[in-house]
Amino acid sequence: MDRRPIVAIAIAFIVGIVIQYYLRLPMVIILGSIAIVILSMLLLVFRKSRLIVYAFILGIVLFGALDLEYDYITEEPIKTFIEKDVEIIGDCMQKDVTDKSTYILEIDEIIYEGKRFAVKDKTLLRIFKYEGASLHDKKIKVKGSLENPDTARNPRMFDYNLYLRTSGIHTLLNTKAANIKVIRNSDLPLLIKLRHRLKSYIYNGTFNEFPGLYGKVALSITFGDKKILDEDLYESFKASGTAHALAVSGLHFGILFLFIDSILKLFKIKE
């Protein structure tokens, strides 16, 4: 905890999400437990007890559970439209710079049986065999049927539903390009637009300088983006025991810290 506090906090938060996903504790119990933990922390601070670290971690776990329970509560409106033919109006965010067929769709409105419903939610939009221009930063109108993501079939399998839920995505929408109409540019926040442009610039520049395999490996190590690697190459990394190099780890954060620290020292900014 002392050496890597961010890692410990992140793990505790994720543990809270997983616990709530399987136990579904009532909101009143979660809020009550958080109140008790906060009062306990105040008492431990007064007594200068080292137990405050454990109380703090428990509090983070509870906040993780609270975050998921709030997500459950706010997702209810979109569940009304599961497996129904609808039209959705929303803003597109390209999920992966290298994949123009998959987007996170920020929903503004759902049209069902001629009626309009204001729904603020996210769905994962997947376009079958799409080869057109990127729909990132576009407000679109799309026809299709919303689906629930698959859950794990046994405790040790990957839970796609939980994975998407951590990003605030509750449904899937699979469709064809013919069912999509671009309305205008999106209303996405400026920061998201700039982030996508910067990442696209880096990816395109890397592929220009290091075409093919070398560019893919460089981007995989830099961004932890394993999806751009060919399956055979990724299996080779796993077989050689070097696949961990493709994940964003403490080393990457350390490099980033040293870079920022150097900039701060350059401008003589103290701690």
Side-chain angles (χ1 to χ4, degrees), residues 157-174:
M157 288 184 66
F158 175 67
D159 195 321
Y160 192 49
N161 187 301
L162 181 58
Y163 166 73
L164 291 178
R165 189 180 291 277
T166 56
S167 299
I169 301 171
H170 305 120
T171 55
L172 304 176
L173 179 60
N174 298 313

PDB file of all heavy atoms in Angstrom, residues 157-174:
ATOM      1  N   MET A 157     -14.712 -18.288 -16.367  1.00  0.00           N
ATOM      2  CA  MET A 157     -14.717 -17.762 -17.731  1.00  0.00           C
ATOM      3  C   MET A 157     -14.791 -16.241 -17.733  1.00  0.00           C
ATOM      4  O   MET A 157     -15.227 -15.625 -16.757  1.00  0.00           O
ATOM      5  CB  MET A 157     -15.903 -18.340 -18.514  1.00  0.00           C
ATOM      6  CG  MET A 157     -15.755 -19.805 -18.887  1.00  0.00           C
ATOM      7  SD  MET A 157     -17.138 -20.385 -19.906  1.00  0.00           S
ATOM      8  CE  MET A 157     -16.878 -19.429 -21.410  1.00  0.00           C
ATOM      9  N   PHE A 158     -14.372 -15.652 -18.849  1.00  0.00           N
ATOM     10  CA  PHE A 158     -14.409 -14.197 -19.006  1.00  0.00           C
ATOM     11  C   PHE A 158     -15.856 -13.724 -19.039  1.00  0.00           C
ATOM     12  O   PHE A 158     -16.687 -14.264 -19.774  1.00  0.00           O
ATOM     13  CB  PHE A 158     -13.703 -13.811 -20.306  1.00  0.00           C
ATOM     14  CG  PHE A 158     -13.784 -12.349 -20.621  1.00  0.00           C
ATOM     15  CD1 PHE A 158     -13.143 -11.413 -19.824  1.00  0.00           C
ATOM     16  CD2 PHE A 158     -14.514 -11.906 -21.715  1.00  0.00           C
ATOM     17  CE1 PHE A 158     -13.209 -10.063 -20.118  1.00  0.00           C
ATOM     18  CE2 PHE A 158     -14.584 -10.562 -22.025  1.00  0.00           C
ATOM     19  CZ  PHE A 158     -13.928  -9.638 -21.223  1.00  0.00           C
ATOM     20  N   ASP A 159     -16.168 -12.725 -18.223  1.00  0.00           N
ATOM     21  CA  ASP A 159     -17.532 -12.195 -18.139  1.00  0.00           C
ATOM     22  C   ASP A 159     -17.619 -10.917 -18.970  1.00  0.00           C
ATOM     23  O   ASP A 159     -17.238  -9.836 -18.519  1.00  0.00           O
ATOM     24  CB  ASP A 159     -17.898 -11.910 -16.678  1.00  0.00           C
ATOM     25  CG  ASP A 159     -19.399 -11.712 -16.494  1.00  0.00           C
ATOM     26  OD1 ASP A 159     -20.017 -11.083 -17.368  1.00  0.00           O
ATOM     27  OD2 ASP A 159     -19.946 -12.193 -15.492  1.00  0.00           O
ATOM     28  N   TYR A 160     -18.109 -11.034 -20.201  1.00  0.00           N
ATOM     29  CA  TYR A 160     -18.175  -9.898 -21.118  1.00  0.00           C
ATOM     30  C   TYR A 160     -19.144  -8.837 -20.611  1.00  0.00           C
ATOM     31  O   TYR A 160     -18.927  -7.638 -20.786  1.00  0.00           O
ATOM     32  CB  TYR A 160     -18.606 -10.396 -22.500  1.00  0.00           C
ATOM     33  CG  TYR A 160     -18.429  -9.381 -23.607  1.00  0.00           C
ATOM     34  CD1 TYR A 160     -17.232  -8.691 -23.765  1.00  0.00           C
ATOM     35  CD2 TYR A 160     -19.459  -9.113 -24.507  1.00  0.00           C
ATOM     36  CE1 TYR A 160     -17.051  -7.769 -24.780  1.00  0.00           C
ATOM     37  CE2 TYR A 160     -19.287  -8.187 -25.529  1.00  0.00           C
ATOM     38  CZ  TYR A 160     -18.091  -7.528 -25.660  1.00  0.00           C
ATOM     39  OH  TYR A 160     -17.928  -6.601 -26.658  1.00  0.00           O
ATOM     40  N   ASN A 161     -20.211  -9.291 -19.960  1.00  0.00           N
ATOM     41  CA  ASN A 161     -21.210  -8.369 -19.413  1.00  0.00           C
ATOM     42  C   ASN A 161     -20.580  -7.450 -18.371  1.00  0.00           C
ATOM     43  O   ASN A 161     -20.758  -6.220 -18.406  1.00  0.00           O
ATOM     44  CB  ASN A 161     -22.371  -9.166 -18.807  1.00  0.00           C
ATOM     45  CG  ASN A 161     -23.515  -8.279 -18.366  1.00  0.00           C
ATOM     46  OD1 ASN A 161     -23.347  -7.405 -17.535  1.00  0.00           O
ATOM     47  ND2 ASN A 161     -24.682  -8.509 -18.910  1.00  0.00           N
ATOM     48  N   LEU A 162     -19.824  -8.031 -17.463  1.00  0.00           N
ATOM     49  CA  LEU A 162     -19.167  -7.247 -16.410  1.00  0.00           C
ATOM     50  C   LEU A 162     -18.101  -6.335 -17.002  1.00  0.00           C
ATOM     51  O   LEU A 162     -17.952  -5.183 -16.575  1.00  0.00           O
ATOM     52  CB  LEU A 162     -18.546  -8.180 -15.376  1.00  0.00           C
ATOM     53  CG  LEU A 162     -17.836  -7.515 -14.194  1.00  0.00           C
ATOM     54  CD1 LEU A 162     -18.784  -6.601 -13.428  1.00  0.00           C
ATOM     55  CD2 LEU A 162     -17.239  -8.560 -13.264  1.00  0.00           C
ATOM     56  N   TYR A 163     -17.373  -6.816 -17.998  1.00  0.00           N
ATOM     57  CA  TYR A 163     -16.336  -6.021 -18.661  1.00  0.00           C
ATOM     58  C   TYR A 163     -16.939  -4.748 -19.266  1.00  0.00           C
ATOM     59  O   TYR A 163     -16.415  -3.644 -19.084  1.00  0.00           O
ATOM     60  CB  TYR A 163     -15.655  -6.863 -19.734  1.00  0.00           C
ATOM     61  CG  TYR A 163     -14.809  -6.064 -20.697  1.00  0.00           C
ATOM     62  CD1 TYR A 163     -13.596  -5.524 -20.298  1.00  0.00           C
ATOM     63  CD2 TYR A 163     -15.235  -5.852 -22.012  1.00  0.00           C
ATOM     64  CE1 TYR A 163     -12.814  -4.791 -21.181  1.00  0.00           C
ATOM     65  CE2 TYR A 163     -14.459  -5.116 -22.898  1.00  0.00           C
ATOM     66  CZ  TYR A 163     -13.258  -4.597 -22.480  1.00  0.00           C
ATOM     67  OH  TYR A 163     -12.505  -3.855 -23.352  1.00  0.00           O
ATOM     68  N   LEU A 164     -18.064  -4.885 -19.989  1.00  0.00           N
ATOM     69  CA  LEU A 164     -18.697  -3.723 -20.605  1.00  0.00           C
ATOM     70  C   LEU A 164     -19.321  -2.809 -19.553  1.00  0.00           C
ATOM     71  O   LEU A 164     -19.309  -1.581 -19.677  1.00  0.00           O
ATOM     72  CB  LEU A 164     -19.763  -4.172 -21.605  1.00  0.00           C
ATOM     73  CG  LEU A 164     -19.260  -4.854 -22.880  1.00  0.00           C
ATOM     74  CD1 LEU A 164     -20.436  -5.283 -23.753  1.00  0.00           C
ATOM     75  CD2 LEU A 164     -18.338  -3.944 -23.671  1.00  0.00           C
ATOM     76  N   ARG A 165     -19.872  -3.421 -18.520  1.00  0.00           N
ATOM     77  CA  ARG A 165     -20.544  -2.638 -17.478  1.00  0.00           C
ATOM     78  C   ARG A 165     -19.580  -1.679 -16.789  1.00  0.00           C
ATOM     79  O   ARG A 165     -19.971  -0.579 -16.383  1.00  0.00           O
ATOM     80  CB  ARG A 165     -21.182  -3.583 -16.457  1.00  0.00           C
ATOM     81  CG  ARG A 165     -22.083  -2.911 -15.447  1.00  0.00           C
ATOM     82  CD  ARG A 165     -22.662  -3.939 -14.502  1.00  0.00           C
ATOM     83  NE  ARG A 165     -23.606  -4.785 -15.198  1.00  0.00           N
ATOM     84  CZ  ARG A 165     -24.877  -4.458 -15.412  1.00  0.00           C
ATOM     85  NH1 ARG A 165     -25.335  -3.305 -14.992  1.00  0.00           N
ATOM     86  NH2 ARG A 165     -25.683  -5.282 -16.040  1.00  0.00           N
ATOM     87  N   THR A 166     -18.318  -2.070 -16.643  1.00  0.00           N
ATOM     88  CA  THR A 166     -17.341  -1.184 -16.009  1.00  0.00           C
ATOM     89  C   THR A 166     -17.094   0.068 -16.844  1.00  0.00           C
ATOM     90  O   THR A 166     -16.555   1.052 -16.346  1.00  0.00           O
ATOM     91  CB  THR A 166     -15.999  -1.917 -15.789  1.00  0.00           C
ATOM     92  OG1 THR A 166     -15.520  -2.430 -17.030  1.00  0.00           O
ATOM     93  CG2 THR A 166     -16.176  -3.064 -14.807  1.00  0.00           C
ATOM     94  N   SER A 167     -17.479   0.037 -18.137  1.00  0.00           N
ATOM     95  CA  SER A 167     -17.372   1.214 -19.006  1.00  0.00           C
ATOM     96  C   SER A 167     -18.720   1.903 -19.187  1.00  0.00           C
ATOM     97  O   SER A 167     -18.850   2.802 -20.024  1.00  0.00           O
ATOM     98  CB  SER A 167     -16.829   0.803 -20.384  1.00  0.00           C
ATOM     99  OG  SER A 167     -15.542   0.242 -20.265  1.00  0.00           O
ATOM    100  N   GLY A 168     -19.713   1.484 -18.408  1.00  0.00           N
ATOM    101  CA  GLY A 168     -21.036   2.096 -18.491  1.00  0.00           C
ATOM    102  C   GLY A 168     -21.850   1.638 -19.693  1.00  0.00           C
ATOM    103  O   GLY A 168     -22.816   2.291 -20.076  1.00  0.00           O
ATOM    104  N   ILE A 169     -21.446   0.512 -20.297  1.00  0.00           N
ATOM    105  CA  ILE A 169     -22.153  -0.024 -21.466  1.00  0.00           C
ATOM    106  C   ILE A 169     -23.018  -1.196 -21.024  1.00  0.00           C
ATOM    107  O   ILE A 169     -22.512  -2.170 -20.455  1.00  0.00           O
ATOM    108  CB  ILE A 169     -21.149  -0.479 -22.552  1.00  0.00           C
ATOM    109  CG1 ILE A 169     -20.270   0.695 -22.994  1.00  0.00           C
ATOM    110  CG2 ILE A 169     -21.877  -1.087 -23.741  1.00  0.00           C
ATOM    111  CD1 ILE A 169     -19.114   0.301 -23.886  1.00  0.00           C
ATOM    112  N   HIS A 170     -24.320  -1.128 -21.324  1.00  0.00           N
ATOM    113  CA  HIS A 170     -25.250  -2.147 -20.834  1.00  0.00           C
ATOM    114  C   HIS A 170     -25.820  -3.038 -21.923  1.00  0.00           C
ATOM    115  O   HIS A 170     -26.417  -4.073 -21.622  1.00  0.00           O
ATOM    116  CB  HIS A 170     -26.415  -1.480 -20.094  1.00  0.00           C
ATOM    117  CG  HIS A 170     -25.967  -0.572 -18.989  1.00  0.00           C
ATOM    118  ND1 HIS A 170     -26.266   0.771 -18.958  1.00  0.00           N
ATOM    119  CD2 HIS A 170     -25.208  -0.812 -17.899  1.00  0.00           C
ATOM    120  CE1 HIS A 170     -25.740   1.314 -17.883  1.00  0.00           C
ATOM    121  NE2 HIS A 170     -25.080   0.377 -17.227  1.00  0.00           N
ATOM    122  N   THR A 171     -25.676  -2.645 -23.191  1.00  0.00           N
ATOM    123  CA  THR A 171     -26.299  -3.391 -24.274  1.00  0.00           C
ATOM    124  C   THR A 171     -25.391  -3.455 -25.501  1.00  0.00           C
ATOM    125  O   THR A 171     -24.408  -2.714 -25.599  1.00  0.00           O
ATOM    126  CB  THR A 171     -27.634  -2.740 -24.702  1.00  0.00           C
ATOM    127  OG1 THR A 171     -27.392  -1.362 -25.032  1.00  0.00           O
ATOM    128  CG2 THR A 171     -28.666  -2.820 -23.589  1.00  0.00           C
ATOM    129  N   LEU A 172     -25.760  -4.335 -26.434  1.00  0.00           N
ATOM    130  CA  LEU A 172     -25.083  -4.451 -27.724  1.00  0.00           C
ATOM    131  C   LEU A 172     -26.078  -4.126 -28.832  1.00  0.00           C
ATOM    132  O   LEU A 172     -27.282  -4.382 -28.701  1.00  0.00           O
ATOM    133  CB  LEU A 172     -24.564  -5.878 -27.939  1.00  0.00           C
ATOM    134  CG  LEU A 172     -23.622  -6.467 -26.881  1.00  0.00           C
ATOM    135  CD1 LEU A 172     -23.306  -7.917 -27.221  1.00  0.00           C
ATOM    136  CD2 LEU A 172     -22.345  -5.651 -26.780  1.00  0.00           C
ATOM    137  N   LEU A 173     -25.574  -3.576 -29.922  1.00  0.00           N
ATOM    138  CA  LEU A 173     -26.406  -3.307 -31.098  1.00  0.00           C
ATOM    139  C   LEU A 173     -25.626  -3.720 -32.330  1.00  0.00           C
ATOM    140  O   LEU A 173     -24.681  -3.058 -32.738  1.00  0.00           O
ATOM    141  CB  LEU A 173     -26.785  -1.828 -31.172  1.00  0.00           C
ATOM    142  CG  LEU A 173     -27.641  -1.414 -32.375  1.00  0.00           C
ATOM    143  CD1 LEU A 173     -28.967  -2.162 -32.377  1.00  0.00           C
ATOM    144  CD2 LEU A 173     -27.902   0.089 -32.361  1.00  0.00           C
ATOM    145  N   ASN A 174     -26.008  -4.861 -32.918  1.00  0.00           N
ATOM    146  CA  ASN A 174     -25.370  -5.351 -34.135  1.00  0.00           C
ATOM    147  C   ASN A 174     -26.239  -4.963 -35.327  1.00  0.00           C
ATOM    148  O   ASN A 174     -27.448  -5.217 -35.324  1.00  0.00           O
ATOM    149  CB  ASN A 174     -25.225  -6.876 -34.078  1.00  0.00           C
ATOM    150  CG  ASN A 174     -24.332  -7.319 -32.925  1.00  0.00           C
ATOM    151  OD1 ASN A 174     -23.253  -6.782 -32.726  1.00  0.00           O
ATOM    152  ND2 ASN A 174     -24.790  -8.301 -32.159  1.00  0.00           N
TER     153      ASN A 174
END
